[in-house]
Amino acid sequence: MALNQSGWRPEMSSDGRATASTSTGNKALMLEEALIFEIGDSDTTGVDFDFPGAPANAGAPGSEGGARGPGFLRSQEHKLGSLARTAPIGLPGLSEPETVRHYTRLSRQNYGIDLGFFPLGSCTMKHNPRLNEKMARLPGFADVHPLQPVDTVQGALDVINQLAVWLIKLTGMHGVAMTPKAGAHGELCGILCIKAALEARGEGHRKVILVPESAHGTNPATAAFAGYTVEDIPATPEGRVDTAALKARLGPDVAGVMITNPNTCGLFERDMKAISDAVHAAGGYVYCDGANFNAIVGRVRPGDLGIDAMHINLHKTFSTPHGGGGPGSGPVVLSEALSPYGPLPFTERFADGHITLVEEETVGDRHPRSFGRMSAFHGQMGMFTRALTYILSHGADGLRQVAEDAVLNANYVLRSLDDTLDAPFGGSGPCMHEALFSDAGLADGFSTIDIAKGLIDEGFHPMTMYFPLVVHGAMLIEPTETESKAALDQFIAALRSVAERAKAGDRALKSAPHFAPRSRLDETLAARKPLLVWKEAVPVAEAAE
Ligand SMILES: *Cc1c(COP(=O)(O)O)cnc(C)c1O
């Protein structure tokens, strides 16, 4: 075959599967790209700089002045004002077209929500409508500076204020702290409010926060960071908080509980109101991790469940996908009991429509009990603008439908696959926004990671793996409301075929992915000894000295 002679070699692996390698390592139009440090050099640049020359007081100008050319970036005498570089700059250089290609090629290896389905559970990776981006990029929002006088940013403050009002209405709470910059930051805000409220009551000695086993990892981390002792509350076999065990642990040393609802098993905590009543009766406060609000927005008001503080991830429920992709925003809604302790600054609208920023605890004695500041300024303007755009374009009825469709999609995935994969809480009734499976029933030696890697070959980003911890080999899938039935059917078919291979013990799955730019990594080595900084290879002769 002619193609063989020009370098393309079809190969058969031991299990009879055809694989292919090329002489270049490139695959189709995807180039095997080395690191920029390996392809660039310090003599190449896409820009012409004037040689800065010697400082005015350092002898005859003109001796170097105007000199320009290859090598100057490396120059030992390179000076900026009176400062001289003493070592090579060490930055790789490429020409402009090489640079553009390098980064464009890298970007093609990136996976994002705009490329395809992103089934990560506990993450709410949903489509971000382009309208949100258009609004967030309006210069009046995008270019405001946090130190501008408030009279010049009334529109931006109005966006923050309107969003705050929506969040309070949707949750049935009393107040909201807009400044926290992520879910975990919001948790810290809520726990600091609880701490301040307890101290104001003279009960700062309450040092225990109860956290159910199925909690998101950030919950115990937050409580510990705020100086509390974390105690686990077990889950029932149905995947919910063991209410009896929780009630039995309440007492004068308990500051509060942190409960995720809907929880990380994708189930609604039906006893929430009873739990809140019991915690309040015992003198504690109720923190709810509201990162999964997407499943209940417009349907359930956390304020009606007796919750004192709950963060909302604007970058989940209110559309912008997250995860290394940019800033998040985690406003915290607060009960009447906790609102006075919320952080500064916050917006306040006067009867004449003018909005001001309350920046100091003492202003007009209106907010003397704030625990202080979470961040330097008022929060994430771009996230606020996207979230308000999303809310206004959906309206209250549209938001309710978001929750209903998200839950419908998750149940569709759960019921389409529970004949092939083990669904540990499949008997607990419908799930909320996430479908949870375990690795029970896979062939000996096969685990969740093999299914995840197999999915990559089939064109799908893997689901969340090995979380929640209460389920062995957990696979947590959150389709969100933005996926169509056609997209879900494709995913279900792909997951079914990979799961069947894992059940049949197909060895080829153990080394998947085969078609990705990189195949299976040594995950343990990568986690334990990550190579994060490129180091120039030491020439052999030098290394031998
Ligand atoms: C995402 C998430 C968090 C943390 O939110 P970040 O914005 O990533 O800090 C906390 N709890 C749950 C249940 C989550 O899904």
Side-chain angles (χ1 to χ4, degrees), residues 114-427:
D114 289 341
L115 271 173
F117 182 32
F118 223 123
L120 287 181
S122 202
C123 274
T124 314
M125 300 296 284
K126 61 161 86 174
H127 172 65
N128 174 35
R130 288 299 171 271
L131 179 65
N132 298 1
E133 293 303 316
K134 194 170 173 186
M135 293 302 116
R137 282 170 170 71
L138 289 177
F141 297 133
D143 298 343
V144 287
H145 191 280
L147 292 177
Q148 260 175 263
V150 290
D151 284 338
T152 67
V153 289
Q154 285 291 302
L157 293 181
D158 199 13
V159 165
I160 301 178
N161 204 67
Q162 278 195 44
L163 178 61
V165 170
W166 267 98
L167 297 181
I168 289 171
K169 283 228 170 86
L170 286 169
T171 55
M173 299 287 275
H174 187 80
V176 59
M178 298 297 285
T179 57
K181 298 198 171 183
H185 205 209
E187 290 173 28
L188 183 62
C189 172
I191 293 298
L192 291 179
C193 288
I194 290 174
K195 193 174 197 175
L198 287 171
E199 278 166 6
R201 261 171 36 194
E203 295 192 45
H205 57 269
R206 288 176 179 263
K207 281 289 176 218
V208 176
I209 298 266
L210 305 179
V211 181
E213 265 181 355
S214 62
H216 194 269
T218 48
N219 296 186
T222 296
F225 190 71
Y228 288 99
T229 305
V230 178
E231 283 187 28
D232 271 0
I233 297 295
T236 63
E238 295 83 48
R240 294 191 169 87
V241 179
D242 185 335
T243 309
L246 185 142
K247 284 183 180 167
R249 181 56 191 85
L250 293 172
D253 58 337
V254 173
V257 298
M258 292 183 88
I259 294 182
T260 306
N261 198 14
N263 70 24
T264 49
C265 297
L267 301 174
F268 189 71
E269 295 288 355
R270 296 179 185 137
D271 291 340
M272 200 61 223
K273 183 72 172 75
I275 291 173
S276 299
D277 290 346
V279 173
H280 290 153
Y285 290 99
V286 180
Y287 187 90
C288 179
D289 180 329
N292 298 331
F293 194 49
N294 201 51
I296 56 172
V297 59
R299 298 272 323 201
V300 177
R301 299 193 317 161
D304 299 336
L305 303 176
I307 283 154
D308 290 298
M310 181 182 95
H311 74 265
I312 297 168
N313 296 52
L314 296 186
H315 51 287
K316 293 182 181 172
T317 309
F318 298 108
S319 79
T320 310
H322 68 305
S329 180
V332 179
V333 285
L334 297 166
S335 63
E336 195 165 0
L338 290 189
S339 287
Y341 304 97
L344 299 164
F346 58 91
T347 57
E348 189 165 332
R349 183 192 285 276
F350 293 104
D352 66 359
H354 189 263
I355 302 176
T356 190
L357 268 178
V358 180
E359 297 260 16
E360 314 268 347
E361 283 90 334
T362 50
V363 167
D365 283 345
R366 279 196 312 271
H367 209 63
R369 287 181 283 170
S370 164
F371 73 72
R373 271 174 191 266
M374 290 297 290
S375 57
F377 301 115
H378 350 308
Q380 308 281 39
M381 194 64 221
M383 301 298 304
F384 294 155
T385 314
R386 286 179 183 86
L388 185 63
T389 306
Y390 181 80
I391 288 174
L392 292 178
S393 52
H394 277 73
D397 56 336
L399 290 175
R400 184 187 170 98
Q401 196 184 337
V402 161
E404 290 169 351
D405 290 352
V407 171
L408 180 65
N409 277 359
N411 279 282
Y412 184 68
V413 171
L414 180 67
R415 296 307 167 201
S416 300
L417 286 164
D418 63 0
D419 59 340
T420 305
L421 283 167
D422 173 60
F425 304 126

